[in-house]
Amino acid sequence: MERGDRQPLVRKGSSSYRTFPDSTARRLDKEYLRSLHNKRLYLAVFAAVLGNFSFGFALVYPSPVIPALEEHPSPALRLDQHTAPWFGSVFTLGAAAGGLSTMLLNDCLGRKLSIMFSAVPSVLGYALLAGAQGLWMLLLGRVLTGYAGGVTSASIPVYISEISHPGVRGMLGACPQIMAVLGSLVLYALGKYPPVSQWLILDWRWLAVAGEVPVFAMVLLLCFMPNSPRFLLSQGKEEEALGSLCWLRGEDTDYAREYEQIKDSVRKQSRRVSCAELKDPFLYKPILIAGGMRFLQQLSGVTCILVYLQPIFKRTSVILKPEYDAALVGLVRLSAVAIAAVSMDKAGRKILLFVSAGVMLASNLTMGLYIHLVPASHNSTNVANTTLVSSAHLPAEPTNYITLIPLVATMFFIMGYAMGWGPITWLLMSEILPLKARGVASGLCVVVSWLTAFTLTQFFLPVVNAFGLEVPFLFFAVISAGNILFTGCCVPETKGRSLEQIEAFFRTGRRSFLR
């Protein structure tokens, strides 16, 4: 039946049409709400995003550890201005390798087992960091934890999108970012930035041991969670797929109808992707959109700003202590991601992306102009390379309240990023990629993301030394303006649509994907 032949049925949170009597429609509404509020779905999502908690913990692990290792009494473990940046950035190389391997793992092991597999390199990496006796153990530990982060970055969003109810997929899709931020904040709390209490402060070795706790919890919980119904159907396991969907939606819901829709979609994409099929707009358009968003997300400078957050604040002479500034920024980031999670399924993805890019543009422009225009007494640019590597050896400078501008600008940047281009890029990647290429393409997007992050992080310090700190921020502002154009031209709105509807949108081409 065509859409024009139906009479609209107005019901909150639903886009259904009146094709049944009123009593049947009311029953479907109740089933919709029951499936929406099934607690088992949220338990499965929580089990998966513990991997993102570990990822956020590992990502910022160098922040309190680098200053401690720069003063370590053993020469074998002591970091200097050459080895400290590698200790921080080599994580992104491991993450890129993890994303590359996930191109195979997602389709061979499945989404859930890929997430569980990430526990192996994660545990080994933390063990090497905890028991390190030389620099090679420190770097290998960072690579392995980065590899685990790359696997979870590519697998968890796909798993969540495939098990989620369309009515809450936006909110649940923001959970990985929320847990990653929580992991970072817990790392700061357990380290020394800032000290919550004396007995909570952990040595850098014990910080690595603490990082293993969420990994073991993740594996234990995932043992009792179902596989993605879409993956099970792609493997021909129809009974298991039906049982999985029943567990996720509830026995007293009309999960059978959703199962038939998913089954029909999987049947159309039963064959693996061939090179010739990559010319089909149904495949290459969503892959280009997802990859372009991951590329632009990293070019906006978020990884550089987070890695060098405390030294940047020290260099701009912010009146507060850098470690407390970092904690404030982390709390702002957490609040903004929570706002995005609540509003994503109501306001839509595109409006949040527009607002996010606009806030990042204004923040980076403010930061760049401030550094360029403020007198040298407040913002010295003739500082050695070590200035942005370790804040421990930076000289204290006189400050006044105008130096709160960098703090406020950075807080707004992180807020803008966290409410749009942070969580939504991961969510859209898992929503718009077609099922037959989802495993491979999601891994490819993660590779693009982390190779961009590594390159940008490595070039950040030389650019600052050669041209000044304002140049990177002005570059980030230009990229943020490009993000606005990219959102308007290329990104489709997926709010309230099932994954099958999104695939049909790209397949039929009824409207240009550029609108």
Side-chain angles (χ1 to χ4, degrees), residues 104-126:
L104 295 176
L105 292 175
N106 260 345
D107 289 331
C108 295
L109 297 180
R111 289 53 158 146
K112 189 186 85 165
L113 288 181
S114 294
I115 300 170
M116 296 177 71
F117 169 78
S118 71
V120 177
S122 184
V123 168
L124 290 176
Y126 280 126

PDB file of all heavy atoms in Angstrom, residues 104-126:
ATOM      1  N   LEU A 104      38.009  -7.744   9.154  1.00  0.00           N
ATOM      2  CA  LEU A 104      37.797  -9.190   9.038  1.00  0.00           C
ATOM      3  C   LEU A 104      37.070  -9.758  10.255  1.00  0.00           C
ATOM      4  O   LEU A 104      36.185 -10.597  10.128  1.00  0.00           O
ATOM      5  CB  LEU A 104      39.144  -9.907   8.868  1.00  0.00           C
ATOM      6  CG  LEU A 104      39.923  -9.593   7.589  1.00  0.00           C
ATOM      7  CD1 LEU A 104      41.270 -10.296   7.612  1.00  0.00           C
ATOM      8  CD2 LEU A 104      39.131 -10.011   6.359  1.00  0.00           C
ATOM      9  N   LEU A 105      37.439  -9.273  11.447  1.00  0.00           N
ATOM     10  CA  LEU A 105      36.872  -9.829  12.680  1.00  0.00           C
ATOM     11  C   LEU A 105      35.359  -9.646  12.747  1.00  0.00           C
ATOM     12  O   LEU A 105      34.639 -10.553  13.174  1.00  0.00           O
ATOM     13  CB  LEU A 105      37.529  -9.174  13.904  1.00  0.00           C
ATOM     14  CG  LEU A 105      38.995  -9.490  14.153  1.00  0.00           C
ATOM     15  CD1 LEU A 105      39.531  -8.679  15.335  1.00  0.00           C
ATOM     16  CD2 LEU A 105      39.177 -10.983  14.425  1.00  0.00           C
ATOM     17  N   ASN A 106      34.866  -8.478  12.342  1.00  0.00           N
ATOM     18  CA  ASN A 106      33.431  -8.199  12.445  1.00  0.00           C
ATOM     19  C   ASN A 106      32.596  -9.181  11.640  1.00  0.00           C
ATOM     20  O   ASN A 106      31.489  -9.550  12.041  1.00  0.00           O
ATOM     21  CB  ASN A 106      33.134  -6.770  11.965  1.00  0.00           C
ATOM     22  CG  ASN A 106      32.961  -5.807  13.124  1.00  0.00           C
ATOM     23  OD1 ASN A 106      32.781  -6.203  14.270  1.00  0.00           O
ATOM     24  ND2 ASN A 106      33.028  -4.529  12.836  1.00  0.00           N
ATOM     25  N   ASP A 107      33.119  -9.595  10.493  1.00  0.00           N
ATOM     26  CA  ASP A 107      32.361 -10.502   9.636  1.00  0.00           C
ATOM     27  C   ASP A 107      32.655 -11.970   9.923  1.00  0.00           C
ATOM     28  O   ASP A 107      31.840 -12.835   9.613  1.00  0.00           O
ATOM     29  CB  ASP A 107      32.647 -10.205   8.166  1.00  0.00           C
ATOM     30  CG  ASP A 107      32.019  -8.890   7.715  1.00  0.00           C
ATOM     31  OD1 ASP A 107      30.982  -8.512   8.291  1.00  0.00           O
ATOM     32  OD2 ASP A 107      32.570  -8.247   6.806  1.00  0.00           O
ATOM     33  N   CYS A 108      33.817 -12.246  10.493  1.00  0.00           N
ATOM     34  CA  CYS A 108      34.173 -13.645  10.775  1.00  0.00           C
ATOM     35  C   CYS A 108      33.691 -14.086  12.160  1.00  0.00           C
ATOM     36  O   CYS A 108      33.032 -15.114  12.307  1.00  0.00           O
ATOM     37  CB  CYS A 108      35.687 -13.837  10.670  1.00  0.00           C
ATOM     38  SG  CYS A 108      36.344 -13.591   9.014  1.00  0.00           S
ATOM     39  N   LEU A 109      34.029 -13.298  13.179  1.00  0.00           N
ATOM     40  CA  LEU A 109      33.638 -13.652  14.544  1.00  0.00           C
ATOM     41  C   LEU A 109      32.266 -13.108  14.923  1.00  0.00           C
ATOM     42  O   LEU A 109      31.600 -13.653  15.796  1.00  0.00           O
ATOM     43  CB  LEU A 109      34.681 -13.116  15.544  1.00  0.00           C
ATOM     44  CG  LEU A 109      36.095 -13.659  15.442  1.00  0.00           C
ATOM     45  CD1 LEU A 109      36.988 -13.024  16.505  1.00  0.00           C
ATOM     46  CD2 LEU A 109      36.099 -15.178  15.597  1.00  0.00           C
ATOM     47  N   GLY A 110      31.876 -12.027  14.278  1.00  0.00           N
ATOM     48  CA  GLY A 110      30.650 -11.355  14.689  1.00  0.00           C
ATOM     49  C   GLY A 110      30.970 -10.167  15.581  1.00  0.00           C
ATOM     50  O   GLY A 110      32.091 -10.007  16.070  1.00  0.00           O
ATOM     51  N   ARG A 111      29.965  -9.338  15.800  1.00  0.00           N
ATOM     52  CA  ARG A 111      30.189  -8.107  16.558  1.00  0.00           C
ATOM     53  C   ARG A 111      30.511  -8.392  18.023  1.00  0.00           C
ATOM     54  O   ARG A 111      31.463  -7.861  18.589  1.00  0.00           O
ATOM     55  CB  ARG A 111      28.955  -7.214  16.495  1.00  0.00           C
ATOM     56  CG  ARG A 111      28.656  -6.548  15.168  1.00  0.00           C
ATOM     57  CD  ARG A 111      28.586  -7.437  13.979  1.00  0.00           C
ATOM     58  NE  ARG A 111      27.829  -6.878  12.857  1.00  0.00           N
ATOM     59  CZ  ARG A 111      28.117  -7.100  11.608  1.00  0.00           C
ATOM     60  NH1 ARG A 111      29.173  -7.852  11.293  1.00  0.00           N
ATOM     61  NH2 ARG A 111      27.377  -6.609  10.655  1.00  0.00           N
ATOM     62  N   LYS A 112      29.717  -9.258  18.655  1.00  0.00           N
ATOM     63  CA  LYS A 112      29.917  -9.524  20.080  1.00  0.00           C
ATOM     64  C   LYS A 112      31.257 -10.197  20.343  1.00  0.00           C
ATOM     65  O   LYS A 112      32.004  -9.795  21.255  1.00  0.00           O
ATOM     66  CB  LYS A 112      28.778 -10.411  20.613  1.00  0.00           C
ATOM     67  CG  LYS A 112      28.798 -10.547  22.125  1.00  0.00           C
ATOM     68  CD  LYS A 112      27.772 -11.543  22.633  1.00  0.00           C
ATOM     69  CE  LYS A 112      28.301 -12.960  22.606  1.00  0.00           C
ATOM     70  NZ  LYS A 112      27.482 -13.899  23.409  1.00  0.00           N
ATOM     71  N   LEU A 113      31.596 -11.220  19.586  1.00  0.00           N
ATOM     72  CA  LEU A 113      32.866 -11.918  19.807  1.00  0.00           C
ATOM     73  C   LEU A 113      34.066 -11.034  19.481  1.00  0.00           C
ATOM     74  O   LEU A 113      35.132 -11.179  20.079  1.00  0.00           O
ATOM     75  CB  LEU A 113      32.910 -13.201  18.975  1.00  0.00           C
ATOM     76  CG  LEU A 113      31.996 -14.333  19.448  1.00  0.00           C
ATOM     77  CD1 LEU A 113      32.155 -15.551  18.547  1.00  0.00           C
ATOM     78  CD2 LEU A 113      32.298 -14.703  20.899  1.00  0.00           C
ATOM     79  N   SER A 114      33.906 -10.097  18.533  1.00  0.00           N
ATOM     80  CA  SER A 114      34.997  -9.154  18.249  1.00  0.00           C
ATOM     81  C   SER A 114      35.261  -8.265  19.455  1.00  0.00           C
ATOM     82  O   SER A 114      36.415  -7.986  19.807  1.00  0.00           O
ATOM     83  CB  SER A 114      34.648  -8.289  17.033  1.00  0.00           C
ATOM     84  OG  SER A 114      34.586  -9.062  15.854  1.00  0.00           O
ATOM     85  N   ILE A 115      34.188  -7.808  20.091  1.00  0.00           N
ATOM     86  CA  ILE A 115      34.350  -6.993  21.303  1.00  0.00           C
ATOM     87  C   ILE A 115      35.033  -7.806  22.391  1.00  0.00           C
ATOM     88  O   ILE A 115      35.940  -7.321  23.075  1.00  0.00           O
ATOM     89  CB  ILE A 115      32.981  -6.477  21.788  1.00  0.00           C
ATOM     90  CG1 ILE A 115      32.314  -5.616  20.719  1.00  0.00           C
ATOM     91  CG2 ILE A 115      33.140  -5.668  23.073  1.00  0.00           C
ATOM     92  CD1 ILE A 115      30.871  -5.272  21.015  1.00  0.00           C
ATOM     93  N   MET A 116      34.619  -9.050  22.556  1.00  0.00           N
ATOM     94  CA  MET A 116      35.236  -9.903  23.573  1.00  0.00           C
ATOM     95  C   MET A 116      36.691 -10.209  23.240  1.00  0.00           C
ATOM     96  O   MET A 116      37.549 -10.279  24.138  1.00  0.00           O
ATOM     97  CB  MET A 116      34.432 -11.198  23.714  1.00  0.00           C
ATOM     98  CG  MET A 116      33.006 -10.985  24.222  1.00  0.00           C
ATOM     99  SD  MET A 116      32.028 -12.504  24.303  1.00  0.00           S
ATOM    100  CE  MET A 116      32.816 -13.323  25.694  1.00  0.00           C
ATOM    101  N   PHE A 117      36.983 -10.371  21.953  1.00  0.00           N
ATOM    102  CA  PHE A 117      38.366 -10.620  21.533  1.00  0.00           C
ATOM    103  C   PHE A 117      39.291  -9.466  21.922  1.00  0.00           C
ATOM    104  O   PHE A 117      40.469  -9.680  22.227  1.00  0.00           O
ATOM    105  CB  PHE A 117      38.411 -10.844  20.023  1.00  0.00           C
ATOM    106  CG  PHE A 117      39.795 -10.851  19.441  1.00  0.00           C
ATOM    107  CD1 PHE A 117      40.612 -11.970  19.564  1.00  0.00           C
ATOM    108  CD2 PHE A 117      40.314  -9.734  18.794  1.00  0.00           C
ATOM    109  CE1 PHE A 117      41.897 -11.975  19.039  1.00  0.00           C
ATOM    110  CE2 PHE A 117      41.591  -9.725  18.267  1.00  0.00           C
ATOM    111  CZ  PHE A 117      42.389 -10.858  18.389  1.00  0.00           C
ATOM    112  N   SER A 118      38.765  -8.232  21.924  1.00  0.00           N
ATOM    113  CA  SER A 118      39.597  -7.070  22.258  1.00  0.00           C
ATOM    114  C   SER A 118      40.163  -7.148  23.667  1.00  0.00           C
ATOM    115  O   SER A 118      41.142  -6.462  23.993  1.00  0.00           O
ATOM    116  CB  SER A 118      38.790  -5.777  22.104  1.00  0.00           C
ATOM    117  OG  SER A 118      37.816  -5.652  23.136  1.00  0.00           O
ATOM    118  N   ALA A 119      39.555  -7.987  24.510  1.00  0.00           N
ATOM    119  CA  ALA A 119      40.051  -8.116  25.877  1.00  0.00           C
ATOM    120  C   ALA A 119      41.453  -8.729  25.924  1.00  0.00           C
ATOM    121  O   ALA A 119      42.231  -8.433  26.838  1.00  0.00           O
ATOM    122  CB  ALA A 119      39.083  -8.962  26.707  1.00  0.00           C
ATOM    123  N   VAL A 120      41.783  -9.567  24.946  1.00  0.00           N
ATOM    124  CA  VAL A 120      43.089 -10.240  24.953  1.00  0.00           C
ATOM    125  C   VAL A 120      44.234  -9.235  24.823  1.00  0.00           C
ATOM    126  O   VAL A 120      45.114  -9.176  25.704  1.00  0.00           O
ATOM    127  CB  VAL A 120      43.155 -11.314  23.851  1.00  0.00           C
ATOM    128  CG1 VAL A 120      44.547 -11.950  23.809  1.00  0.00           C
ATOM    129  CG2 VAL A 120      42.087 -12.377  24.082  1.00  0.00           C
ATOM    130  N   PRO A 121      44.295  -8.416  23.750  1.00  0.00           N
ATOM    131  CA  PRO A 121      45.383  -7.422  23.688  1.00  0.00           C
ATOM    132  C   PRO A 121      45.290  -6.372  24.797  1.00  0.00           C
ATOM    133  O   PRO A 121      46.328  -5.856  25.236  1.00  0.00           O
ATOM    134  CB  PRO A 121      45.202  -6.786  22.305  1.00  0.00           C
ATOM    135  CG  PRO A 121      43.786  -7.039  21.935  1.00  0.00           C
ATOM    136  CD  PRO A 121      43.443  -8.360  22.542  1.00  0.00           C
ATOM    137  N   SER A 122      44.084  -6.075  25.261  1.00  0.00           N
ATOM    138  CA  SER A 122      43.946  -5.083  26.321  1.00  0.00           C
ATOM    139  C   SER A 122      44.587  -5.569  27.616  1.00  0.00           C
ATOM    140  O   SER A 122      45.366  -4.847  28.258  1.00  0.00           O
ATOM    141  CB  SER A 122      42.461  -4.766  26.554  1.00  0.00           C
ATOM    142  OG  SER A 122      42.301  -3.740  27.498  1.00  0.00           O
ATOM    143  N   VAL A 123      44.287  -6.795  28.009  1.00  0.00           N
ATOM    144  CA  VAL A 123      44.860  -7.357  29.236  1.00  0.00           C
ATOM    145  C   VAL A 123      46.377  -7.475  29.119  1.00  0.00           C
ATOM    146  O   VAL A 123      47.125  -7.139  30.051  1.00  0.00           O
ATOM    147  CB  VAL A 123      44.215  -8.726  29.549  1.00  0.00           C
ATOM    148  CG1 VAL A 123      44.992  -9.450  30.641  1.00  0.00           C
ATOM    149  CG2 VAL A 123      42.761  -8.540  29.976  1.00  0.00           C
ATOM    150  N   LEU A 124      46.854  -7.952  27.966  1.00  0.00           N
ATOM    151  CA  LEU A 124      48.306  -8.070  27.768  1.00  0.00           C
ATOM    152  C   LEU A 124      48.977  -6.703  27.811  1.00  0.00           C
ATOM    153  O   LEU A 124      50.061  -6.541  28.402  1.00  0.00           O
ATOM    154  CB  LEU A 124      48.592  -8.750  26.430  1.00  0.00           C
ATOM    155  CG  LEU A 124      48.242 -10.235  26.321  1.00  0.00           C
ATOM    156  CD1 LEU A 124      48.490 -10.733  24.906  1.00  0.00           C
ATOM    157  CD2 LEU A 124      49.069 -11.050  27.322  1.00  0.00           C
ATOM    158  N   GLY A 125      48.352  -5.700  27.198  1.00  0.00           N
ATOM    159  CA  GLY A 125      48.923  -4.363  27.184  1.00  0.00           C
ATOM    160  C   GLY A 125      49.021  -3.763  28.572  1.00  0.00           C
ATOM    161  O   GLY A 125      50.064  -3.198  28.954  1.00  0.00           O
ATOM    162  N   TYR A 126      47.943  -3.884  29.353  1.00  0.00           N
ATOM    163  CA  TYR A 126      47.987  -3.357  30.720  1.00  0.00           C
ATOM    164  C   TYR A 126      49.004  -4.106  31.577  1.00  0.00           C
ATOM    165  O   TYR A 126      49.658  -3.524  32.446  1.00  0.00           O
ATOM    166  CB  TYR A 126      46.600  -3.457  31.357  1.00  0.00           C
ATOM    167  CG  TYR A 126      45.652  -2.352  30.946  1.00  0.00           C
ATOM    168  CD1 TYR A 126      44.401  -2.638  30.413  1.00  0.00           C
ATOM    169  CD2 TYR A 126      46.008  -1.010  31.117  1.00  0.00           C
ATOM    170  CE1 TYR A 126      43.531  -1.635  30.047  1.00  0.00           C
ATOM    171  CE2 TYR A 126      45.140   0.001  30.746  1.00  0.00           C
ATOM    172  CZ  TYR A 126      43.900  -0.310  30.209  1.00  0.00           C
ATOM    173  OH  TYR A 126      43.040   0.697  29.847  1.00  0.00           O
TER     174      TYR A 126
END
